[in-house]
Amino acid sequence: MALLLWTDTSRSCNPCMQPSHYIPDTRIFKIIVIGDSNVGKTCLTFRFCGGTFPGKTEATIGVDFREKTVEIEGERIKVQVWDTAGQERFRKSMVEHYYRNVHAVVFVYDVTKMSSFTNLKTWIEECNGHAVSPLVPRVLVGNKCDLKDLIQVPSSLALKFADAHNMLLFETSAKDPQESQNVDAIFMCLVCRLKAQRLLPCRDTEGWPAQPQPHCRRLDEASGKGSCPC
Ligand SMILES: Nc1nc2c(ncn2[C@@H]2O[C@H](COP(=O)(O)OP(=O)(O)OP(=O)(O)O)[C@@H](O)[C@H]2O)c(=O)[nH]1
Ligand SMILES: [Mg+2]
């Protein structure tokens, strides 16, 4: 049964070594979360991976890793979320690592702070400056929508920006439990898109090859099935 194969601890992707029914290891998608300090990157990743809003957060130093395994159309996928530091002094030695072999990027701003929105262009420039392929999906997230009376960034402006940069826009709140499905949707949308690309390798180390490796395809993906909820 395919289910039993998920417990296989082998990390080999070499099809020559595997029986014809072999299904590769759980694929791991590296998603980085980028944006100004204090916009809520840690809270959003906490909400997605842990299902809760952290009572108290400190500024992230370097990077915090969070993981969540999801199942889409019978495939288990490990989502490795890189919660990056927004403060320059806590991120400068790490930036290269953030962008290396990244599969998707989440840009976050705070809907109650216009400067976090205007700074997005700097974050996008940094991302582009690290030769992130245009094929790497990106989404834009306006966080803290629960603070309705304090909103500074109109949805129309954010939508225009997202359109101009070929990104989907999510406006949500890491704090409001009723918004948790929308937080999940941010990451699930990216996972669905990545799954649809089909060629991502199945290794889970930073040594992943930069280019897709056709021999790491899921066997059942040849059928071309795949749908994205967004
Ligand atoms: N009201 C409200 N507050 C939020 C929300 N998300 C985060 N916060 C608060 O915003 C502050 C900063 O949140 P963090 O998640 O630590 O911000 P960050 O972007 O990770 O900051 P750095 O690690 O410094 O880059 C904290 O006080 C959170 O409680 C939200 O959706 N609504
Ligand atoms: Mg943080």
Side-chain angles (χ1 to χ4, degrees), residues 35-44 53-61 64 83-87 90 108 110 143-147 172-176:
D36 275 10
S37 181
N38 223 41
V39 296
K41 299 180 295 298
T42 295
C43 293
L44 284 166
F53 182 74
K56 189 175 181 306
T57 54
E58 312 243 313
T60 303
I61 297 173
D64 285 330
D83 169 24
T84 71
Q87 287 190 44
F90 292 147
V108 185
D110 174 348
N143 188 38
K144 307 196 188 182
C145 283
D146 57 291
L147 301 173
T172 192
S173 162
K175 187 172 189 178
D176 182 355

PDB file of all heavy atoms in Angstrom, residues 35-44 53-61 64 83-87 90 108 110 143-147 172-176, ligand 1:
ATOM      1  N   GLY A  35       9.354  40.605   5.391  1.00  0.00           N
ATOM      2  CA  GLY A  35       8.667  41.883   5.586  1.00  0.00           C
ATOM      3  C   GLY A  35       9.258  42.623   6.770  1.00  0.00           C
ATOM      4  O   GLY A  35      10.089  42.079   7.519  1.00  0.00           O
ATOM      5  N   ASP A  36       8.790  43.863   6.959  1.00  0.00           N
ATOM      6  CA  ASP A  36       9.298  44.706   8.053  1.00  0.00           C
ATOM      7  C   ASP A  36       9.163  44.017   9.414  1.00  0.00           C
ATOM      8  O   ASP A  36       8.283  43.163   9.603  1.00  0.00           O
ATOM      9  CB  ASP A  36       8.475  46.003   8.123  1.00  0.00           C
ATOM     10  CG  ASP A  36       9.006  47.062   7.172  1.00  0.00           C
ATOM     11  OD1 ASP A  36       9.865  46.747   6.339  1.00  0.00           O
ATOM     12  OD2 ASP A  36       8.526  48.219   7.279  1.00  0.00           O
ATOM     13  N   SER A  37       9.961  44.475  10.331  1.00  0.00           N
ATOM     14  CA  SER A  37       9.823  44.001  11.709  1.00  0.00           C
ATOM     15  C   SER A  37       8.452  44.427  12.248  1.00  0.00           C
ATOM     16  O   SER A  37       7.935  45.492  11.900  1.00  0.00           O
ATOM     17  CB  SER A  37      10.932  44.621  12.561  1.00  0.00           C
ATOM     18  OG  SER A  37      10.833  44.167  13.875  1.00  0.00           O
ATOM     19  N   ASN A  38       7.857  43.570  13.049  1.00  0.00           N
ATOM     20  CA  ASN A  38       6.613  43.873  13.752  1.00  0.00           C
ATOM     21  C   ASN A  38       5.337  43.753  12.915  1.00  0.00           C
ATOM     22  O   ASN A  38       4.253  44.099  13.383  1.00  0.00           O
ATOM     23  CB  ASN A  38       6.681  45.289  14.357  1.00  0.00           C
ATOM     24  CG  ASN A  38       6.127  45.298  15.764  1.00  0.00           C
ATOM     25  OD1 ASN A  38       6.388  44.387  16.538  1.00  0.00           O
ATOM     26  ND2 ASN A  38       5.337  46.303  16.087  1.00  0.00           N
ATOM     27  N   VAL A  39       5.462  43.284  11.677  1.00  0.00           N
ATOM     28  CA  VAL A  39       4.245  43.156  10.856  1.00  0.00           C
ATOM     29  C   VAL A  39       3.442  41.906  11.222  1.00  0.00           C
ATOM     30  O   VAL A  39       2.278  41.772  10.832  1.00  0.00           O
ATOM     31  CB  VAL A  39       4.556  43.157   9.337  1.00  0.00           C
ATOM     32  CG1 VAL A  39       5.154  44.488   8.896  1.00  0.00           C
ATOM     33  CG2 VAL A  39       5.459  41.991   8.950  1.00  0.00           C
ATOM     34  N   GLY A  40       4.092  40.968  11.932  1.00  0.00           N
ATOM     35  CA  GLY A  40       3.369  39.760  12.351  1.00  0.00           C
ATOM     36  C   GLY A  40       3.794  38.486  11.642  1.00  0.00           C
ATOM     37  O   GLY A  40       3.031  37.516  11.594  1.00  0.00           O
ATOM     38  N   LYS A  41       5.007  38.443  11.136  1.00  0.00           N
ATOM     39  CA  LYS A  41       5.487  37.237  10.419  1.00  0.00           C
ATOM     40  C   LYS A  41       5.527  36.026  11.359  1.00  0.00           C
ATOM     41  O   LYS A  41       5.100  34.937  10.999  1.00  0.00           O
ATOM     42  CB  LYS A  41       6.900  37.480   9.839  1.00  0.00           C
ATOM     43  CG  LYS A  41       6.954  38.619   8.834  1.00  0.00           C
ATOM     44  CD  LYS A  41       8.348  38.823   8.279  1.00  0.00           C
ATOM     45  CE  LYS A  41       9.385  39.260   9.287  1.00  0.00           C
ATOM     46  NZ  LYS A  41       9.109  40.573   9.936  1.00  0.00           N
ATOM     47  N   THR A  42       6.048  36.271  12.551  1.00  0.00           N
ATOM     48  CA  THR A  42       6.130  35.153  13.508  1.00  0.00           C
ATOM     49  C   THR A  42       4.727  34.673  13.881  1.00  0.00           C
ATOM     50  O   THR A  42       4.459  33.467  13.910  1.00  0.00           O
ATOM     51  CB  THR A  42       6.913  35.601  14.762  1.00  0.00           C
ATOM     52  OG1 THR A  42       8.258  35.875  14.362  1.00  0.00           O
ATOM     53  CG2 THR A  42       6.917  34.533  15.838  1.00  0.00           C
ATOM     54  N   CYS A  43       3.825  35.612  14.115  1.00  0.00           N
ATOM     55  CA  CYS A  43       2.458  35.228  14.501  1.00  0.00           C
ATOM     56  C   CYS A  43       1.736  34.487  13.374  1.00  0.00           C
ATOM     57  O   CYS A  43       1.006  33.522  13.618  1.00  0.00           O
ATOM     58  CB  CYS A  43       1.678  36.466  14.923  1.00  0.00           C
ATOM     59  SG  CYS A  43       2.313  37.189  16.452  1.00  0.00           S
ATOM     60  N   LEU A  44       1.939  34.915  12.148  1.00  0.00           N
ATOM     61  CA  LEU A  44       1.290  34.241  11.018  1.00  0.00           C
ATOM     62  C   LEU A  44       1.804  32.805  10.863  1.00  0.00           C
ATOM     63  O   LEU A  44       1.032  31.873  10.639  1.00  0.00           O
ATOM     64  CB  LEU A  44       1.542  35.015   9.718  1.00  0.00           C
ATOM     65  CG  LEU A  44       0.721  36.289   9.517  1.00  0.00           C
ATOM     66  CD1 LEU A  44       1.308  37.121   8.373  1.00  0.00           C
ATOM     67  CD2 LEU A  44      -0.751  35.955   9.232  1.00  0.00           C
ATOM     68  N   PHE A  53      -2.341  31.732  18.286  1.00  0.00           N
ATOM     69  CA  PHE A  53      -1.686  33.045  18.252  1.00  0.00           C
ATOM     70  C   PHE A  53      -0.777  33.123  19.472  1.00  0.00           C
ATOM     71  O   PHE A  53      -1.246  32.944  20.601  1.00  0.00           O
ATOM     72  CB  PHE A  53      -2.747  34.152  18.312  1.00  0.00           C
ATOM     73  CG  PHE A  53      -2.190  35.542  18.243  1.00  0.00           C
ATOM     74  CD1 PHE A  53      -1.699  36.057  17.049  1.00  0.00           C
ATOM     75  CD2 PHE A  53      -2.156  36.347  19.384  1.00  0.00           C
ATOM     76  CE1 PHE A  53      -1.190  37.349  16.988  1.00  0.00           C
ATOM     77  CE2 PHE A  53      -1.648  37.636  19.327  1.00  0.00           C
ATOM     78  CZ  PHE A  53      -1.167  38.125  18.125  1.00  0.00           C
ATOM     79  N   PRO A  54       0.508  33.362  19.288  1.00  0.00           N
ATOM     80  CA  PRO A  54       1.396  33.365  20.448  1.00  0.00           C
ATOM     81  C   PRO A  54       1.096  34.556  21.358  1.00  0.00           C
ATOM     82  O   PRO A  54       0.888  35.669  20.880  1.00  0.00           O
ATOM     83  CB  PRO A  54       2.796  33.474  19.834  1.00  0.00           C
ATOM     84  CG  PRO A  54       2.587  34.040  18.473  1.00  0.00           C
ATOM     85  CD  PRO A  54       1.197  33.675  18.037  1.00  0.00           C
ATOM     86  N   GLY A  55       1.084  34.297  22.654  1.00  0.00           N
ATOM     87  CA  GLY A  55       0.768  35.359  23.611  1.00  0.00           C
ATOM     88  C   GLY A  55       1.734  36.515  23.512  1.00  0.00           C
ATOM     89  O   GLY A  55       1.348  37.669  23.502  1.00  0.00           O
ATOM     90  N   LYS A  56       3.008  36.183  23.382  1.00  0.00           N
ATOM     91  CA  LYS A  56       4.029  37.230  23.386  1.00  0.00           C
ATOM     92  C   LYS A  56       5.109  36.823  22.395  1.00  0.00           C
ATOM     93  O   LYS A  56       5.497  35.656  22.361  1.00  0.00           O
ATOM     94  CB  LYS A  56       4.612  37.315  24.805  1.00  0.00           C
ATOM     95  CG  LYS A  56       5.525  38.481  25.052  1.00  0.00           C
ATOM     96  CD  LYS A  56       5.936  38.501  26.530  1.00  0.00           C
ATOM     97  CE  LYS A  56       6.844  39.652  26.896  1.00  0.00           C
ATOM     98  NZ  LYS A  56       8.038  39.772  26.083  1.00  0.00           N
ATOM     99  N   THR A  57       5.573  37.769  21.617  1.00  0.00           N
ATOM    100  CA  THR A  57       6.663  37.432  20.691  1.00  0.00           C
ATOM    101  C   THR A  57       7.822  38.395  20.907  1.00  0.00           C
ATOM    102  O   THR A  57       7.626  39.530  21.339  1.00  0.00           O
ATOM    103  CB  THR A  57       6.232  37.554  19.213  1.00  0.00           C
ATOM    104  OG1 THR A  57       5.707  38.853  18.996  1.00  0.00           O
ATOM    105  CG2 THR A  57       5.214  36.498  18.826  1.00  0.00           C
ATOM    106  N   GLU A  58       8.992  37.915  20.581  1.00  0.00           N
ATOM    107  CA  GLU A  58      10.180  38.768  20.591  1.00  0.00           C
ATOM    108  C   GLU A  58      10.622  38.909  19.149  1.00  0.00           C
ATOM    109  O   GLU A  58      10.293  38.053  18.314  1.00  0.00           O
ATOM    110  CB  GLU A  58      11.299  38.074  21.368  1.00  0.00           C
ATOM    111  CG  GLU A  58      10.832  37.525  22.702  1.00  0.00           C
ATOM    112  CD  GLU A  58      11.524  38.173  23.876  1.00  0.00           C
ATOM    113  OE1 GLU A  58      12.746  38.281  23.811  1.00  0.00           O
ATOM    114  OE2 GLU A  58      10.820  38.586  24.826  1.00  0.00           O
ATOM    115  N   ALA A  59      11.389  39.931  18.859  1.00  0.00           N
ATOM    116  CA  ALA A  59      11.898  40.090  17.499  1.00  0.00           C
ATOM    117  C   ALA A  59      12.684  38.831  17.103  1.00  0.00           C
ATOM    118  O   ALA A  59      13.481  38.321  17.898  1.00  0.00           O
ATOM    119  CB  ALA A  59      12.799  41.311  17.433  1.00  0.00           C
ATOM    120  N   THR A  60      12.420  38.344  15.912  1.00  0.00           N
ATOM    121  CA  THR A  60      13.105  37.143  15.438  1.00  0.00           C
ATOM    122  C   THR A  60      14.568  37.461  15.149  1.00  0.00           C
ATOM    123  O   THR A  60      14.887  38.501  14.556  1.00  0.00           O
ATOM    124  CB  THR A  60      12.408  36.619  14.162  1.00  0.00           C
ATOM    125  OG1 THR A  60      11.037  36.384  14.484  1.00  0.00           O
ATOM    126  CG2 THR A  60      13.053  35.339  13.645  1.00  0.00           C
ATOM    127  N   ILE A  61      15.414  36.567  15.565  1.00  0.00           N
ATOM    128  CA  ILE A  61      16.853  36.738  15.320  1.00  0.00           C
ATOM    129  C   ILE A  61      17.276  35.691  14.305  1.00  0.00           C
ATOM    130  O   ILE A  61      17.109  34.484  14.555  1.00  0.00           O
ATOM    131  CB  ILE A  61      17.654  36.593  16.632  1.00  0.00           C
ATOM    132  CG1 ILE A  61      17.239  37.707  17.602  1.00  0.00           C
ATOM    133  CG2 ILE A  61      19.159  36.633  16.364  1.00  0.00           C
ATOM    134  CD1 ILE A  61      17.831  37.587  18.984  1.00  0.00           C
ATOM    135  N   ASP A  64      13.562  31.559  12.334  1.00  0.00           N
ATOM    136  CA  ASP A  64      12.955  30.446  13.074  1.00  0.00           C
ATOM    137  C   ASP A  64      12.292  29.537  12.053  1.00  0.00           C
ATOM    138  O   ASP A  64      11.648  30.023  11.115  1.00  0.00           O
ATOM    139  CB  ASP A  64      11.890  30.962  14.056  1.00  0.00           C
ATOM    140  CG  ASP A  64      12.512  31.622  15.280  1.00  0.00           C
ATOM    141  OD1 ASP A  64      13.625  31.220  15.663  1.00  0.00           O
ATOM    142  OD2 ASP A  64      11.884  32.545  15.831  1.00  0.00           O
ATOM    143  N   ASP A  83      10.574  31.647   9.082  1.00  0.00           N
ATOM    144  CA  ASP A  83      10.116  32.909   9.668  1.00  0.00           C
ATOM    145  C   ASP A  83      11.348  33.796   9.825  1.00  0.00           C
ATOM    146  O   ASP A  83      12.146  33.618  10.742  1.00  0.00           O
ATOM    147  CB  ASP A  83       9.444  32.587  11.014  1.00  0.00           C
ATOM    148  CG  ASP A  83       9.173  33.821  11.845  1.00  0.00           C
ATOM    149  OD1 ASP A  83       9.066  34.924  11.265  1.00  0.00           O
ATOM    150  OD2 ASP A  83       9.066  33.685  13.082  1.00  0.00           O
ATOM    151  N   THR A  84      11.504  34.751   8.939  1.00  0.00           N
ATOM    152  CA  THR A  84      12.751  35.528   8.893  1.00  0.00           C
ATOM    153  C   THR A  84      12.689  36.743   9.824  1.00  0.00           C
ATOM    154  O   THR A  84      11.604  37.177  10.237  1.00  0.00           O
ATOM    155  CB  THR A  84      13.060  36.008   7.460  1.00  0.00           C
ATOM    156  OG1 THR A  84      12.124  37.028   7.104  1.00  0.00           O
ATOM    157  CG2 THR A  84      12.983  34.869   6.463  1.00  0.00           C
ATOM    158  N   ALA A  85      13.842  37.304  10.089  1.00  0.00           N
ATOM    159  CA  ALA A  85      13.917  38.501  10.929  1.00  0.00           C
ATOM    160  C   ALA A  85      13.668  39.739  10.075  1.00  0.00           C
ATOM    161  O   ALA A  85      14.210  39.872   8.976  1.00  0.00           O
ATOM    162  CB  ALA A  85      15.299  38.579  11.570  1.00  0.00           C
ATOM    163  N   GLY A  86      12.867  40.658  10.606  1.00  0.00           N
ATOM    164  CA  GLY A  86      12.617  41.903   9.882  1.00  0.00           C
ATOM    165  C   GLY A  86      13.662  42.965  10.172  1.00  0.00           C
ATOM    166  O   GLY A  86      13.900  43.862   9.364  1.00  0.00           O
ATOM    167  N   GLN A  87      14.282  42.864  11.332  1.00  0.00           N
ATOM    168  CA  GLN A  87      15.288  43.882  11.692  1.00  0.00           C
ATOM    169  C   GLN A  87      16.609  43.577  11.007  1.00  0.00           C
ATOM    170  O   GLN A  87      17.135  42.465  11.114  1.00  0.00           O
ATOM    171  CB  GLN A  87      15.501  43.895  13.210  1.00  0.00           C
ATOM    172  CG  GLN A  87      14.354  44.517  13.974  1.00  0.00           C
ATOM    173  CD  GLN A  87      14.717  44.729  15.438  1.00  0.00           C
ATOM    174  OE1 GLN A  87      15.811  45.190  15.763  1.00  0.00           O
ATOM    175  NE2 GLN A  87      13.788  44.404  16.326  1.00  0.00           N
ATOM    176  N   PHE A  90      19.398  41.764  12.698  1.00  0.00           N
ATOM    177  CA  PHE A  90      19.191  40.360  13.031  1.00  0.00           C
ATOM    178  C   PHE A  90      19.121  39.472  11.798  1.00  0.00           C
ATOM    179  O   PHE A  90      18.876  38.270  11.903  1.00  0.00           O
ATOM    180  CB  PHE A  90      17.888  40.183  13.832  1.00  0.00           C
ATOM    181  CG  PHE A  90      17.928  40.778  15.202  1.00  0.00           C
ATOM    182  CD1 PHE A  90      16.777  41.310  15.769  1.00  0.00           C
ATOM    183  CD2 PHE A  90      19.108  40.796  15.947  1.00  0.00           C
ATOM    184  CE1 PHE A  90      16.801  41.859  17.047  1.00  0.00           C
ATOM    185  CE2 PHE A  90      19.143  41.339  17.217  1.00  0.00           C
ATOM    186  CZ  PHE A  90      17.986  41.877  17.767  1.00  0.00           C
ATOM    187  N   VAL A 108       4.912  40.168   3.708  1.00  0.00           N
ATOM    188  CA  VAL A 108       3.914  40.593   4.691  1.00  0.00           C
ATOM    189  C   VAL A 108       4.053  42.089   4.983  1.00  0.00           C
ATOM    190  O   VAL A 108       5.171  42.594   5.132  1.00  0.00           O
ATOM    191  CB  VAL A 108       4.068  39.811   6.022  1.00  0.00           C
ATOM    192  CG1 VAL A 108       2.954  40.184   6.995  1.00  0.00           C
ATOM    193  CG2 VAL A 108       4.076  38.298   5.773  1.00  0.00           C
ATOM    194  N   ASP A 110       1.823  45.308   7.397  1.00  0.00           N
ATOM    195  CA  ASP A 110       0.852  45.533   8.471  1.00  0.00           C
ATOM    196  C   ASP A 110      -0.164  46.544   7.941  1.00  0.00           C
ATOM    197  O   ASP A 110       0.214  47.676   7.574  1.00  0.00           O
ATOM    198  CB  ASP A 110       1.638  46.075   9.688  1.00  0.00           C
ATOM    199  CG  ASP A 110       0.755  46.489  10.853  1.00  0.00           C
ATOM    200  OD1 ASP A 110      -0.467  46.590  10.694  1.00  0.00           O
ATOM    201  OD2 ASP A 110       1.326  46.742  11.933  1.00  0.00           O
ATOM    202  N   ASN A 143      -1.497  41.954   7.115  1.00  0.00           N
ATOM    203  CA  ASN A 143      -1.854  41.356   8.411  1.00  0.00           C
ATOM    204  C   ASN A 143      -2.434  42.415   9.364  1.00  0.00           C
ATOM    205  O   ASN A 143      -2.317  43.609   9.122  1.00  0.00           O
ATOM    206  CB  ASN A 143      -0.593  40.711   9.011  1.00  0.00           C
ATOM    207  CG  ASN A 143      -0.900  39.902  10.254  1.00  0.00           C
ATOM    208  OD1 ASN A 143      -1.934  39.239  10.336  1.00  0.00           O
ATOM    209  ND2 ASN A 143      -0.024  39.945  11.239  1.00  0.00           N
ATOM    210  N   LYS A 144      -3.041  41.956  10.432  1.00  0.00           N
ATOM    211  CA  LYS A 144      -3.639  42.765  11.514  1.00  0.00           C
ATOM    212  C   LYS A 144      -4.969  43.400  11.095  1.00  0.00           C
ATOM    213  O   LYS A 144      -5.311  44.511  11.543  1.00  0.00           O
ATOM    214  CB  LYS A 144      -2.659  43.831  12.058  1.00  0.00           C
ATOM    215  CG  LYS A 144      -1.292  43.271  12.480  1.00  0.00           C
ATOM    216  CD  LYS A 144      -0.504  44.226  13.339  1.00  0.00           C
ATOM    217  CE  LYS A 144       0.917  43.730  13.577  1.00  0.00           C
ATOM    218  NZ  LYS A 144       1.708  44.592  14.453  1.00  0.00           N
ATOM    219  N   CYS A 145      -5.718  42.702  10.266  1.00  0.00           N
ATOM    220  CA  CYS A 145      -7.012  43.229   9.835  1.00  0.00           C
ATOM    221  C   CYS A 145      -8.029  43.320  10.963  1.00  0.00           C
ATOM    222  O   CYS A 145      -9.073  43.961  10.806  1.00  0.00           O
ATOM    223  CB  CYS A 145      -7.578  42.355   8.707  1.00  0.00           C
ATOM    224  SG  CYS A 145      -6.793  42.689   7.144  1.00  0.00           S
ATOM    225  N   ASP A 146      -7.723  42.679  12.083  1.00  0.00           N
ATOM    226  CA  ASP A 146      -8.639  42.781  13.237  1.00  0.00           C
ATOM    227  C   ASP A 146      -8.662  44.199  13.806  1.00  0.00           C
ATOM    228  O   ASP A 146      -9.632  44.604  14.453  1.00  0.00           O
ATOM    229  CB  ASP A 146      -8.208  41.774  14.322  1.00  0.00           C
ATOM    230  CG  ASP A 146      -6.772  41.973  14.767  1.00  0.00           C
ATOM    231  OD1 ASP A 146      -5.863  41.710  13.956  1.00  0.00           O
ATOM    232  OD2 ASP A 146      -6.537  42.411  15.880  1.00  0.00           O
ATOM    233  N   LEU A 147      -7.617  44.978  13.534  1.00  0.00           N
ATOM    234  CA  LEU A 147      -7.552  46.347  14.063  1.00  0.00           C
ATOM    235  C   LEU A 147      -8.265  47.309  13.096  1.00  0.00           C
ATOM    236  O   LEU A 147      -7.660  48.210  12.505  1.00  0.00           O
ATOM    237  CB  LEU A 147      -6.078  46.758  14.261  1.00  0.00           C
ATOM    238  CG  LEU A 147      -5.280  45.864  15.227  1.00  0.00           C
ATOM    239  CD1 LEU A 147      -3.805  46.244  15.229  1.00  0.00           C
ATOM    240  CD2 LEU A 147      -5.849  45.958  16.644  1.00  0.00           C
ATOM    241  N   THR A 172      -5.615  39.529   6.172  1.00  0.00           N
ATOM    242  CA  THR A 172      -6.028  38.617   7.238  1.00  0.00           C
ATOM    243  C   THR A 172      -5.519  39.086   8.591  1.00  0.00           C
ATOM    244  O   THR A 172      -4.952  40.182   8.713  1.00  0.00           O
ATOM    245  CB  THR A 172      -5.537  37.181   6.917  1.00  0.00           C
ATOM    246  OG1 THR A 172      -6.171  36.269   7.798  1.00  0.00           O
ATOM    247  CG2 THR A 172      -4.029  37.048   7.068  1.00  0.00           C
ATOM    248  N   SER A 173      -5.728  38.239   9.576  1.00  0.00           N
ATOM    249  CA  SER A 173      -5.246  38.530  10.927  1.00  0.00           C
ATOM    250  C   SER A 173      -4.727  37.246  11.551  1.00  0.00           C
ATOM    251  O   SER A 173      -5.454  36.250  11.599  1.00  0.00           O
ATOM    252  CB  SER A 173      -6.400  39.086  11.773  1.00  0.00           C
ATOM    253  OG  SER A 173      -6.093  38.980  13.142  1.00  0.00           O
ATOM    254  N   ALA A 174      -3.507  37.328  12.022  1.00  0.00           N
ATOM    255  CA  ALA A 174      -2.964  36.156  12.733  1.00  0.00           C
ATOM    256  C   ALA A 174      -3.631  36.022  14.093  1.00  0.00           C
ATOM    257  O   ALA A 174      -3.697  34.933  14.658  1.00  0.00           O
ATOM    258  CB  ALA A 174      -1.456  36.319  12.900  1.00  0.00           C
ATOM    259  N   LYS A 175      -4.157  37.140  14.590  1.00  0.00           N
ATOM    260  CA  LYS A 175      -4.705  37.155  15.948  1.00  0.00           C
ATOM    261  C   LYS A 175      -6.139  36.618  16.022  1.00  0.00           C
ATOM    262  O   LYS A 175      -6.485  35.887  16.953  1.00  0.00           O
ATOM    263  CB  LYS A 175      -4.666  38.593  16.481  1.00  0.00           C
ATOM    264  CG  LYS A 175      -5.052  38.701  17.929  1.00  0.00           C
ATOM    265  CD  LYS A 175      -4.809  40.114  18.442  1.00  0.00           C
ATOM    266  CE  LYS A 175      -4.986  40.171  19.955  1.00  0.00           C
ATOM    267  NZ  LYS A 175      -4.718  41.518  20.459  1.00  0.00           N
ATOM    268  N   ASP A 176      -6.942  36.990  15.065  1.00  0.00           N
ATOM    269  CA  ASP A 176      -8.363  36.637  15.092  1.00  0.00           C
ATOM    270  C   ASP A 176      -8.550  35.154  14.732  1.00  0.00           C
ATOM    271  O   ASP A 176      -8.287  34.759  13.596  1.00  0.00           O
ATOM    272  CB  ASP A 176      -9.098  37.534  14.081  1.00  0.00           C
ATOM    273  CG  ASP A 176     -10.591  37.273  14.058  1.00  0.00           C
ATOM    274  OD1 ASP A 176     -11.047  36.341  14.746  1.00  0.00           O
ATOM    275  OD2 ASP A 176     -11.296  38.002  13.335  1.00  0.00           O
TER     276      ASP A 176
HETATM  277  N1  LIG B   1      -3.758  43.001  16.559  1.00  0.00           N
HETATM  278  C1  LIG B   1      -2.883  42.168  15.985  1.00  0.00           C
HETATM  279  N2  LIG B   1      -1.625  42.112  16.431  1.00  0.00           N
HETATM  280  C2  LIG B   1      -0.766  41.255  15.810  1.00  0.00           C
HETATM  281  C3  LIG B   1      -1.168  40.432  14.737  1.00  0.00           C
HETATM  282  N3  LIG B   1      -0.098  39.707  14.335  1.00  0.00           N
HETATM  283  C4  LIG B   1       0.908  40.071  15.132  1.00  0.00           C
HETATM  284  N4  LIG B   1       0.509  40.991  16.039  1.00  0.00           N
HETATM  285  C5  LIG B   1       1.337  41.637  17.055  1.00  0.00           C
HETATM  286  O1  LIG B   1       2.362  42.370  16.392  1.00  0.00           O
HETATM  287  C6  LIG B   1       3.581  42.301  17.132  1.00  0.00           C
HETATM  288  C7  LIG B   1       4.706  41.782  16.253  1.00  0.00           C
HETATM  289  O2  LIG B   1       4.414  40.457  15.848  1.00  0.00           O
HETATM  290  P1  LIG B   1       5.565  39.469  15.336  1.00  0.00           P
HETATM  291  O3  LIG B   1       4.887  38.286  14.749  1.00  0.00           O
HETATM  292  O4  LIG B   1       6.540  39.201  16.414  1.00  0.00           O
HETATM  293  O5  LIG B   1       6.259  40.371  14.218  1.00  0.00           O
HETATM  294  P2  LIG B   1       7.449  39.968  13.217  1.00  0.00           P
HETATM  295  O6  LIG B   1       7.054  40.432  11.860  1.00  0.00           O
HETATM  296  O7  LIG B   1       7.759  38.527  13.358  1.00  0.00           O
HETATM  297  O8  LIG B   1       8.655  40.846  13.737  1.00  0.00           O
HETATM  298  P3  LIG B   1      10.263  40.539  13.577  1.00  0.00           P
HETATM  299  O9  LIG B   1      10.512  39.177  14.130  1.00  0.00           O
HETATM  300  O10 LIG B   1      10.933  41.608  14.373  1.00  0.00           O
HETATM  301  O11 LIG B   1      10.581  40.663  12.119  1.00  0.00           O
HETATM  302  C8  LIG B   1       3.280  41.417  18.359  1.00  0.00           C
HETATM  303  O12 LIG B   1       2.999  42.251  19.441  1.00  0.00           O
HETATM  304  C9  LIG B   1       2.047  40.639  17.948  1.00  0.00           C
HETATM  305  O13 LIG B   1       1.259  40.281  19.070  1.00  0.00           O
HETATM  306  C10 LIG B   1      -2.520  40.515  14.285  1.00  0.00           C
HETATM  307  O14 LIG B   1      -2.982  39.845  13.363  1.00  0.00           O
HETATM  308  N5  LIG B   1      -3.330  41.409  14.948  1.00  0.00           N
END
